[in-house]
Amino acid sequence: MIDRKTIADEYPQQHHTDDSFLLVLDSASNAKWITELKEQAIPALSRDIHYAHFAIGLKDGRRPYAVVSWKQTERHALEKRWILSQFYRNLRQQWKVTRLNIVLTQVSAQDTAMAEDAYLCSMRPNDEGNDWSQLNILAVKPTETADPFAKIRFDALQGYRKWINENPDELTSIEIGSRLKTFAEANACGFVELGLDELKKEKMNLLLAVGQGSQRSPSRCYFLTHKLTPGKKPIMLLGKGITFDTGGINVKAFESFVNAMKNDMGGAALMSHLFMALVKSGYSEPLVLAIPSCENLVDANSMKPGSLVQSRKGPKVFIEHTDAEGRLILADALSYGEDTYKPSVTLTAATLTTASLRQFTNYFTGVHFAPEKFQASLNESGKQWGERFSCWDDFLPFNSGNKTKFGDLTNMGRLPSHASMGGGSNVAAHFLREFATGPMIHFDIFSSCWNWSGDYPGAPQGATGAPFNSLFETLRKGIS
């Protein structure tokens, strides 16, 4: 783990040993000891990476260090994280050190995120251990003012990543329920599990259909509650929990990233750890967590394309393609959650569409239906923590793309043929909103939660952790 310490604004000699690297994130500091390190830097070792200057040297001829200065300070924090991560990826190979000490001269979420990236991008496969034997974040000012819930937030961020990276035969729908129940019991939260009998009773036929081909990870729906108070409407966090997605009978091609489809429960991982972090941080407002979960397999009992399935809310859905299953399980859970808990707003998160990667790239999270105030708050949090968003309003043609003459809705919504390569994330979001009676904000995290580009900050492979920090910050501020 990262050890966080407050130190004096002076050269941290006690932390800088021969087997450690000292990295100073210099945010326009005038400290004498930093100026001396810059002056003592070795020109042949120093370098520029885009608009970051790395003054690199050897303290007393043997202890390696670097001071990072930004030539363009106004750039977005995600871009700065991206630049610094290029340095991190080669740091250990070049210097053969086992410990890293990062000095923050300015206490900010941006610098905290950049420091944490050094640890996160050195995680081993499936987040099982770290290549650094020790990593210290040394701040010259107390960090509590900028990040009062640092440990809670970072532990939850790591948990979110680890769930996504975990082997799908281990993190099944049953295992997700077991972990959520354990948390609920330890933190005085309500816990409800809807098994097969309860799902049938509630006519949650879409969720049942998707999971009917799996015995290892069958259809389940879990609800956790926090501080439910009569007369106060909760915020509902709804996350897609497809523990593995083969595409079903319409088998997912290799080009559709089937080798990464253990990440298809990313929405469940994100919302579960947001809920847990908020509860642990003393969040005072009522919350509901809703997690529909199963896996989408190729099996004799699998959901068949061409089927017409009646949803819990009522609309009949034409199953045009079995690889558009996430919206189905979310639709039934959304309907049950709204009817049962009457939320003021529902936030949904899902690795909903491969199209979002083409539409938003690996660096942006698609956000649908967010009010302007929420967008402003979210984007401000993103500027602090180094995460980016692409926000979209409702648009009638996207809604029309979900209509079909073979039922009330099709799960393979599309724009007209002349625009068929666009709007996949938008059309899917509008499908979900057909099942909402109250306000809903949808996050399509397929593009950003996995390191598709290979260079996402703080991610060696697999899960990136986006957009956890920004959402935690935004929800802590409150939704107006």
Side-chain angles (χ1 to χ4, degrees):
M1 278 296 297
I2 292 176
D3 193 3
R4 304 169 193 267
K5 300 176 181 178
T6 302
I7 61 170
D9 193 2
E10 59 189 28
Y11 170 64
Q13 183 171 352
Q14 68 275 26
H15 296 288
H16 194 196
T17 55
D18 292 356
D19 66 342
S20 69
F21 193 98
L22 182 71
L23 180 67
V24 182
L25 300 185
D26 182 25
S27 299
S29 172
N30 295 317
K32 181 180 178 181
W33 67 273
I34 295 178
T35 301
E36 290 175 349
L37 287 180
K38 291 180 180 179
E39 292 173 347
Q40 295 167 11
I42 302 171
L45 296 178
S46 300
R47 70 193 68 168
D48 289 329
I49 302 180
H50 300 285
Y51 50 84
H53 178 68
F54 293 79
I56 301 173
L58 295 169
K59 182 68 174 176
D60 300 327
R62 64 182 188 276
R63 295 191 295 274
Y65 70 85
V67 179
V68 184
S69 304
W70 299 99
K71 300 176 184 178
Q72 298 180 30
T73 58
E74 77 284 355
R75 307 293 293 192
H76 196 281
L78 177 59
E79 198 172 275
K80 293 182 178 180
R81 289 179 59 203
W82 179 78
I83 291 173
L84 196 55
S85 283
Q86 295 182 55
F87 180 75
Y88 288 149
R89 287 188 172 94
N90 297 317
L91 183 58
R92 285 208 61 219
Q93 288 76 12
Q94 291 182 346
W95 292 98
K96 307 301 180 184
V97 289
T98 60
R99 296 192 294 168
L100 178 62
N101 300 290
I102 302 179
V103 179
L104 305 185
T105 61
Q106 175 178 294
V107 178
S108 68
Q110 178 182 137
D111 284 1
T112 298
M114 289 192 291
E116 290 174 353
D117 281 343
Y119 182 84
L120 294 172
C121 73
S122 297
M123 294 301 291
R124 296 178 186 133
N126 289 4
D127 278 9
E128 295 175 354
N130 194 280
D131 286 342
W132 292 110
S133 63
Q134 179 63 46
L135 193 149
N136 296 314
I137 295 180
L138 311 173
V140 299
K141 298 178 182 178
T143 60
E144 288 78 8
T145 53
D147 192 12
F149 307 107
K151 187 176 188 309
I152 292 171
R153 175 193 55 77
F154 189 66
D155 285 350
L157 172 65
Q158 285 190 287
Y160 164 42
R161 286 171 43 125
K162 189 170 179 62
W163 275 28
I164 291 178
N165 287 332
E166 199 164 341
N167 289 333
D169 282 347
E170 297 168 9
L171 189 60
T172 64
S173 60
I174 304 301
E175 177 61 20
I176 287 175
S178 176
R179 296 182 190 183
L180 293 177
K181 184 177 182 181
T182 298
F183 177 85
E185 291 175 345
N187 292 274
C189 296
F191 176 80
V192 173
E193 175 180 351
L194 301 183
L196 295 180
D197 290 340
E198 291 83 7
L199 294 174
K200 290 175 183 176
K201 182 179 178 181
E202 287 294 330
K203 298 181 180 179
M204 298 172 74
N205 300 316
L206 297 175
L207 174 53
L208 286 166
V210 175
Q212 68 191 32
S214 175
Q215 295 182 356
R216 183 190 294 270
S217 191
S219 299
R220 293 289 187 273
C221 199
Y222 305 106
F223 292 88
L224 273 68
T225 58
H226 167 71
K227 292 188 180 297
L228 291 189
T229 305
K232 292 191 71 174
K233 292 186 174 183
I235 295 171
M236 185 163 72
L237 307 177
L238 169 60
K240 171 188 169 184
I242 297 292
T243 57
F244 192 81
D245 182 20
T246 67
I249 299 297
N250 293 112
V251 180
K252 187 185 291 287
F254 179 80
E255 291 77 10
S256 294
F257 311 109
V258 69
N259 61 321
M261 281 303 107
K262 64 180 182 179
N263 74 8
D264 215 18
M265 36 62 66
L270 173 59
M271 289 313 198
S272 294
H273 286 87
L274 270 177
F275 179 90
M276 290 188 276
L278 289 169
V279 170
K280 286 185 175 181
S281 70
Y283 191 71
S284 60
E285 297 301 312
L287 284 173
V288 173
L289 173 68
I291 303 295
S293 184
C294 61
E295 62 183 348
N296 185 27
L297 294 188
V298 182
D299 184 84
N301 296 315
S302 292
M303 173 177 65
K304 308 298 190 297
S307 300
L308 190 62
V309 182
Q310 183 158 8
S311 64
R312 181 187 181 277
K313 189 176 181 183
K316 292 181 179 179
V317 180
F318 177 57
I319 309 301
E320 193 170 350
H321 200 295
T322 60
D323 194 26
E325 84 297 330
R327 66 199 74 184
L328 302 178
I329 72 169
L330 290 169
D332 273 348
L334 176 59
S335 170
Y336 180 94
E338 283 197 328
D339 286 352
T340 304
Y341 300 105
K342 305 295 189 296
S344 60
V345 61
T346 297
L347 275 62
T348 66
T351 50
L352 202 60
T353 64
T354 308
S356 69
L357 181 57
R358 293 191 295 267
Q359 192 170 352
F360 307 127
T361 77
N362 190 187
Y363 309 102
F364 288 69
T365 300
V367 185
H368 303 276
F369 316 130
E372 289 186 6
K373 286 186 178 179
F374 184 88
Q375 289 184 36
S377 180
L378 183 66
N379 283 321
E380 180 58 34
S381 297
K383 287 180 182 178
Q384 294 175 29
W385 287 104
E387 294 169 341
R388 300 209 66 169
F389 301 90
S390 180
C391 298
W392 297 76
D393 299 327
D394 62 334
F395 186 53
L396 190 56
F398 293 142
N399 193 64
S400 299
N402 292 298
K403 306 302 182 182
T404 177
K405 62 183 179 180
F406 300 111
D408 298 310
L409 297 168
T410 171
N411 77 323
M412 191 59 179
R414 59 176 66 81
L415 295 178
S417 58
H418 59 275
S420 61
M421 290 304 293
S425 179
N426 305 74
V427 174
H430 282 72
F431 177 94
L432 289 182
R433 207 174 63 162
E434 292 280 348
F435 297 87
T437 56
M440 185 189 85
I441 303 171
H442 171 60
F443 295 81
D444 193 338
I445 66 171
F446 183 91
S447 57
S448 63
C449 79
W450 189 263
N451 190 15
W452 304 108
S453 62
D455 67 349
Y456 196 92
Q461 47 77 43
T464 64
F468 179 87
N469 284 337
S470 299
L471 271 175
F472 180 72
E473 175 82 14
T474 301
L475 290 174
R476 282 295 316 175
K477 292 176 184 175
I479 298 179
S480 56

